[in-house]
Amino acid sequence: MTATTTSTGAASAVGTSFTRVEGRDKVTGAARYAGEIPFAELAHGWLVLSTIARGRIRSIESDPVRGMPGVLSVLHHGNAPRVDADYVSILGKPDPIVEVFQHDRIPFVGWPVALVVAETSEQAREAAEALVVRYEEEPHDVAFSSGHPGTYTPDGDGMLMEKGDLEAELASSAQVVDEEYTTPEEHHSSMEPHAAMARWDNGRLEVVDSNQGSTWVADELAKLFSLDPSSVRVRSEHVGGAFGSKGVRVHQILAVMAATQLDRPVRVVITRRQLFTLTGYRSPTAQRVRLGADADGRLRAIDHQAHSLSSTVHEFVEASAGFGRPLYASDAHRSVNRVVRLDVPTPTFMRAPGEAPGSFALESALDELAERCGVDPIALRARNEPDVGPVSGLPFASRNLLSAYREGARRFGWADRDPRPGVRREGRWLLGTGTASATFPVIVAPSTAAVTAEADGTFTVRITAADVGTGARTALTLIAAEALEVPQDRVHVRIGDSNFGQAAISGGSMGTRSWGWAVTAAVGELREQLALGGDIPPQGITVRSDTSAAIGALSQKERHSYGAQFAEVAVDVTTGEVRVRRMLGIFAAGRIINPLTARSQFVGGMTWGLSMALHEEAHRDQASGGHVGADFAGYHFAANADVPLIEADWVDDTDADDPIGIKGIGEIGIVGVAAAIANAVWHATGVRHRNLPIRPDRVLNAGGALDA
């Protein structure tokens, strides 16, 4: 084929709704996930976890288990291969849990103590449940509170930010809000469990995994096992949900250990119950918010103090206090994150880490301030709209939050709202409406991509992206088709293979933005080569891009996505049940590549925010240190019957000096939803709920308009 492309008007593909390119495979079962791909001579590993919260392993009585049917091996700290965790990854020092089976210490309930490997999964499970492990138990502490002894402010960027004389501005304020808000421990138990198969193939380690970044996992496995990075390949083609939890976990490491010992493929799948201790979660938070304002609601001071927990072996901070830094102008500002270490598993990133709980606290406090000042909640937010970053002082790249509020208020019918609480009623139901702001930072990471012009007139894109259910594979197809000016059916995108080179992880809403930039850059160079003319050889013409330099040259500005969340609730005066009747989210989130999957992401996040507001909370037994009800029967989340019609839409939002225009939408849908619902419950009942979830018993105990 001659080396030219033909313009067909395909530039309009971006911004038009397209079904997922892999959609048919997923609904017909042709798409295989990590836990179901067949391999010859595959063995199966089943994890055994500690039953104590603190102490040491005294003995592992593995001999009886080794004689059970099908059992091939019992790995534990006494016989496992050695690993080296003295390295720094893209997220810093690894959680010491990656040093699995390297010592006899137990830092929390659910710490891995053994892996039973057998011919079948059923045999492995039976043997694992029969394995006897004896411990030397020590006293433990799992009780979280904001006043816990040993609470500290971590080192590092963003843990503490201050501006102005906070106490003086509070003292001079006509109105002051000073309240504490709490959120419970929450879990992101994705539909597809964490699973990995490892095998050695001609001296090269191959891992088939479910993850948020195959080069990330490959790099850490190479470091842990002291391997040449080029000798490790990680594939993760289809991922059934991740939400921050699918990074480097013990199942990949143990699969490699067992495959090395047995010289055959081994798969390890984490069970639903084990997910609650092995794959991270959102820490509970206790947040004190102090707001000082003039009588008309102009903010003079913002003080946001957020407390969270981490494990004794690794520091992770749920940085909730940072949520408001780009949002509201004030003369003085302080936001600080504090943490206490307890005998619990290490938390991790969970959809909108920091912003989800942080928005509940600050946006609830803003609503309280609006009430005290007698100012409409939207007008109060508009009154405190900043010209530049309130803390950073940097200019905004784009900021269309007020446009989102105007459009949302129009569509939601906000102008007809009676601001008085507890006055709308339908039979036994009290009705109320609420609103809240959403924001999430725009992040981008260097990535590489390869684009090949094939001899048959098609184009192949290779990039180590991870489609964790977001529709990233489809978005990249559309981005490439637009850049090439060809129909999307001439573009084939291959992802999820560390062989394709370094690329950003799927996290922090950075994925499509980072990958799309790399694909666009590669296409630009490819088109220059094709413009020279000549025939395309049988092997095609391939161009590889690297966006490191371009991203490094990006101007320093405040870059964020924004949103305005609206909710209407009905509260049953007899049972205390809260029903969300309708929700609307209007977002300013940059260039929308595929409206179909974008709306799905927004609605999915908003649904999770509803679940956060009314249902989700994990409980720890203080005596044992373990979870109560670590399964989908005991951990309650929103079901279909709990979710009303949810509308999500967006306003134009462009960054003039950004060459890609994408901001990312995976996180922002959940941000602000819990606050909007809590504010609506106040409007319905006249009672503030500062502790999530808003359970019926809490509503009944609070009283308010329910007593009328």
Side-chain angles (χ1 to χ4, degrees):
M1 178 181 173
T2 301
T4 59
T5 58
T6 302
S7 178
T8 62
S12 62
V14 168
T16 304
S17 290
F18 283 89
T19 57
R20 298 169 187 260
V21 296
E22 81 286 6
R24 181 179 294 274
D25 287 346
K26 285 185 173 177
V27 299
T28 59
R32 295 291 187 94
Y33 292 82
E36 59 186 8
I37 299 173
F39 293 93
E41 299 185 324
L42 179 66
H44 300 265
W46 199 280
L47 271 161
V48 179
L49 307 183
S50 70
T51 57
I52 67 167
R54 186 180 179 90
R56 290 183 179 276
I57 300 170
R58 194 167 73 228
S59 65
I60 296 178
E61 299 177 7
S62 59
D63 287 345
V65 166
R66 292 179 193 276
M68 293 180 68
V71 173
L72 301 169
S73 177
V74 180
L75 280 169
H76 52 77
H77 71 280
N79 62 9
R82 300 294 94 184
V83 297
D84 182 4
D86 186 18
Y87 64 87
V88 177
S89 74
I90 60 173
L91 298 179
K93 293 287 289 183
D95 185 334
I97 199 171
V98 302
E99 298 177 274
V100 61
F101 300 168
Q102 303 298 292
H103 54 75
D104 63 357
R105 290 291 308 170
I106 303 296
F108 54 76
V109 169
W111 182 265
V113 296
L115 180 78
V116 178
V117 186
E119 295 287 355
T120 70
S121 178
E122 293 79 8
Q123 290 170 334
R125 177 177 183 172
E126 182 181 15
E129 291 176 347
L131 183 68
V132 174
V133 182
R134 304 193 186 279
Y135 303 96
E136 292 179 6
E137 193 167 1
E138 300 171 4
H140 64 263
D141 181 7
V142 299
F144 170 72
S145 68
S146 59
H148 194 288
T151 300
Y152 67 97
T153 301
D155 296 329
D157 294 339
M159 292 299 104
L160 169 64
M161 300 193 78
E162 296 180 293
K163 180 188 80 170
D165 190 333
L166 182 75
E167 298 302 333
E169 295 295 342
L170 285 168
S172 301
S173 296
Q175 295 288 348
V176 175
V177 172
D178 185 352
E179 300 292 349
E180 183 171 278
Y181 306 83
T182 69
T183 62
E185 180 180 319
E186 299 164 353
H187 286 262
H188 39 12
S189 232
S190 53
M191 288 181 67
E192 181 209 12
H194 295 57
M197 183 286 309
R199 66 177 178 179
W200 290 93
D201 184 11
N202 294 320
R204 193 175 192 213
L205 175 64
E206 180 185 16
V207 176
V208 176
D209 188 27
S210 176
N211 64 51
Q212 293 177 237
S214 291
T215 52
W216 170 25
V217 175
D219 180 66
E220 294 214 24
L221 290 177
K223 289 181 170 69
L224 278 165
F225 289 96
S226 302
L227 301 171
D228 186 320
S230 64
S231 69
V232 181
R233 182 187 187 188
V234 175
R235 293 188 289 131
S236 180
E237 185 177 2
H238 297 290
V239 180
F243 312 110
S245 72
K246 285 185 175 174
V248 179
R249 301 294 178 190
V250 296
H251 64 294
Q252 299 125 328
I253 300 163
L254 292 177
V256 174
M257 285 183 175
T260 301
Q261 183 190 67
L262 297 174
D263 194 24
R264 61 186 287 187
V266 176
R267 176 181 289 147
V268 178
V269 180
I270 299 179
T271 69
R272 183 66 60 192
R273 180 171 289 274
Q274 291 169 350
L275 290 178
F276 280 78
T277 56
L278 291 179
T279 62
Y281 56 97
R282 197 192 306 279
S283 166
T285 71
Q287 304 174 63
R288 183 187 182 190
V289 178
R290 294 192 295 169
L291 303 176
D294 295 336
D296 63 356
R298 188 189 72 83
L299 284 166
R300 300 175 66 102
I302 298 175
D303 182 25
H304 192 166
Q305 304 174 46
H307 297 79
S308 62
L309 60 75
S310 194
S311 68
T312 59
V313 296
H314 188 63
E315 180 184 87
F316 180 88
V317 184
E318 183 73 23
S320 305
F323 165 74
R325 290 170 184 166
L327 272 181
Y328 304 116
S330 64
D331 299 313
H333 174 101
R334 179 176 68 177
S335 51
V336 57
N337 294 289
R338 299 190 176 99
V339 68
V340 62
R341 299 232 181 157
L342 299 174
D343 301 311
V344 297
T346 307
T348 193
F349 304 98
M350 181 166 161
R351 198 170 199 172
E355 276 76 11
S359 63
F360 166 66
L362 185 60
E363 291 299 303
S364 295
L366 259 292
D367 208 68
E368 298 202 44
L369 181 63
E371 175 198 353
R372 296 186 189 185
C373 294
V375 177
D376 177 82
I378 297 177
L380 181 83
R381 288 165 171 83
R383 191 160 297 168
N384 292 286
E385 178 74 358
D387 296 321
V388 297
V391 179
S392 70
L394 292 172
F396 289 106
S398 63
R399 184 181 173 95
N400 275 0
L401 176 58
L402 295 187
S403 295
Y405 265 116
R406 284 191 291 269
E407 177 64 11
R410 181 189 68 80
R411 290 175 53 169
F412 199 72
W414 189 263
D416 299 328
R417 177 183 189 260
D418 187 331
R420 296 173 300 167
V423 298
R424 288 180 62 202
R425 184 163 184 160
E426 291 181 1
R428 72 177 194 271
W429 297 95
L430 291 167
L431 307 181
T433 54
T435 190
S437 297
T439 188
F440 196 82
V442 174
I443 309 171
V444 65
S447 298
T448 62
V451 180
T452 301
E454 307 287 0
D456 64 0
T458 64
F459 297 86
T460 303
V461 176
R462 294 175 177 85
I463 184 167
T464 314
D467 191 335
V468 296
T470 59
R473 184 187 276 103
T474 307
L476 293 176
T477 300
L478 300 180
I479 290 169
E482 179 190 60
L484 287 162
E485 297 187 44
V486 300
Q488 68 276 2
D489 59 7
R490 286 176 58 189
V491 176
H492 306 289
V493 174
R494 296 181 58 192
I495 64 172
D497 189 333
S498 63
N499 275 1
F500 297 157
Q502 182 64 43
I505 65 172
S506 175
S509 288
M510 76 173 79
T512 302
R513 173 174 166 80
S514 302
W515 307 323
W517 197 331
V519 169
T520 302
V523 167
E525 293 185 36
L526 178 62
R527 294 193 65 172
E528 290 180 7
Q529 290 197 25
L530 295 179
L532 299 176
D535 291 337
I536 297 178
Q539 71 273 20
I541 298 174
T542 300
V543 169
R544 172 170 288 277
S545 67
D546 185 337
T547 60
S548 300
I551 289 172
L554 195 62
S555 61
Q556 292 296 304
K557 292 185 178 181
E558 286 269 7
R559 287 187 168 85
H560 299 266
S561 293
Y562 300 95
Q565 304 277 17
F566 296 83
E568 180 180 64
V569 304
V571 182
D572 190 325
V573 298
T574 59
T575 67
E577 177 188 12
V578 177
R579 281 278 175 185
V580 178
R581 287 195 166 184
R582 60 187 176 116
M583 292 171 61
L584 169 68
I586 302 293
F587 301 93
R591 191 181 188 209
I592 302 301
I593 302 301
N594 184 1
L596 183 66
T597 51
R599 187 168 278 107
S600 176
Q601 282 295 293
F602 288 136
V603 170
M606 293 169 70
T607 302
W608 201 340
L610 182 157
S611 193
M612 174 184 178
L614 302 181
H615 302 287
E616 295 190 43
E617 57 180 335
H619 295 281
R620 286 194 179 275
D621 174 51
Q622 301 296 304
S624 70
H627 281 115
V628 177
D631 50 42
F632 281 172
Y635 183 76
H636 190 207
F637 53 89
N640 287 348
D642 299 304
V643 182
L645 174 65
I646 298 178
E647 295 182 85
D649 213 333
W650 46 86
V651 296
D652 289 339
D653 181 31
T654 58
D655 179 352
D657 63 354
D658 189 324
I660 194 69
I662 299 169
K663 286 191 170 184
I665 58 176
E667 319 274 353
I668 196 169
I670 190 176
V671 181
V673 174
I677 292 172
N679 294 338
V681 171
W682 167 80
H683 188 231
T685 65
V687 175
R688 292 284 176 188
H689 287 270
R690 303 184 182 96
N691 307 294
L692 294 185
I694 306 174
R695 301 189 311 254
D697 62 306
R698 287 174 169 170
V699 175
L700 289 176
N701 291 335
L706 276 66
D707 299 325

